[in-house]
Amino acid sequence: MTQTEELLKQIKRSQQKGQITETIALYETLCIQSPDNAAAHNNLASLYVQKNQYQKALKQASTLRIKTRTFVFSFSQLPFDGGKTLVDPV
């Protein structure tokens, strides 16, 4: 089993247990190990939003914008600065 596969198993287990903080840490590791994994960046950004860590979510959305435009729309409505959004819809 590869490191990525092991991380994905750990992520699944921590998500099933509702351990968001641990899941975030695992996704952060996965994003470092697999920087082109757009789904991992997308999922990490979603978790940051759940924890109200909008700037971290923005960083992940920016990474996605560079890699693919597919996921960016998910983050186009993040609250920011008096009702403005963090990123423009694609």
Side-chain angles (χ1 to χ4, degrees):
M1 180 176 296
T2 68
Q3 266 189 325
T4 299
E5 291 170 333
E6 181 58 36
L7 268 174
L8 289 171
K9 285 178 77 171
Q10 291 175 2
I11 287 167
K12 184 176 181 178
R13 282 193 300 265
S14 67
Q15 285 177 319
Q16 289 172 340
K17 293 178 181 178
Q19 299 170 326
I20 295 175
T21 302
E22 181 179 335
T23 305
I24 287 172
L26 292 166
Y27 267 119
E28 288 171 339
T29 301
L30 180 58
C31 288
I32 290 167
Q33 288 182 358
S34 303
D36 293 331
N37 187 332
H41 288 281
N42 182 70
N43 295 343
L44 178 55
S46 293
L47 290 168
Y48 284 145
V49 170
Q50 288 180 35
K51 298 288 275 183
N52 298 321
Q53 296 177 347
Y54 300 118
Q55 290 302 318
K56 288 183 177 183
L58 173 60
K59 182 178 179 182
Q60 292 304 312
S62 297
T63 299
L64 288 169
R65 189 186 259 327
I66 293 166
K67 296 183 183 319
T68 177
R69 297 179 72 86
T70 304
F71 295 102
V72 175
F73 185 77
S74 302
F75 305 103
S76 65
Q77 300 303 315
L78 289 173
F80 180 72
D81 192 24
K84 296 177 185 174
T85 57
L86 288 174
V87 294
D88 295 326
V90 179

